[in-house]
Amino acid sequence: PSHLLIVFSWCLKLYPKGLKEKSVEYISLFVKYVRGRTDLQAKAEFSLINSRGEFHIVRKTPYHIFPTGGDWG
């Protein structure tokens, strides 16, 4: 039997003090679709967990079309 292997590469870009001066009180997080065969439609869920293992912040994104090399956050 033949098998099809599709490889996607992702990267998370985290800015602990925000991306810009006005967001210094916040965390900025971006998802980057580094490599794949084509543009990809995806959604994500992000969670921050405190030192006791409790979920502190949960954010879900709507579907987004990621072009190869494109990021979103």
Side-chain angles (χ1 to χ4, degrees):
S2 63
H3 299 294
L4 177 62
L5 176 64
I6 300 174
V7 178
F8 301 101
S9 294
W10 295 88
C11 176
L12 293 177
K13 296 193 284 184
L14 174 67
Y15 300 88
K17 295 184 179 181
L19 183 60
K20 300 179 180 178
E21 284 186 38
K22 66 180 181 180
S23 59
V24 72
E25 300 280 326
Y26 301 93
I27 295 172
S28 295
L29 181 65
F30 293 82
V31 177
K32 182 171 185 167
Y33 178 40
V34 179
R35 186 179 66 233
R37 298 179 102 190
T38 184
D39 294 354
L40 182 68
Q41 180 175 326
K43 62 181 179 176
E45 180 175 313
F46 301 98
S47 303
L48 292 180
I49 302 172
N50 67 19
S51 61
R52 293 184 299 263
E54 302 165 333
F55 286 89
H56 184 62
I57 298 174
V58 177
R59 294 285 188 266
K60 295 180 182 181
T61 69
Y63 277 103
H64 179 77
I65 296 176
F66 290 89
T68 300
D71 60 7
W72 184 79

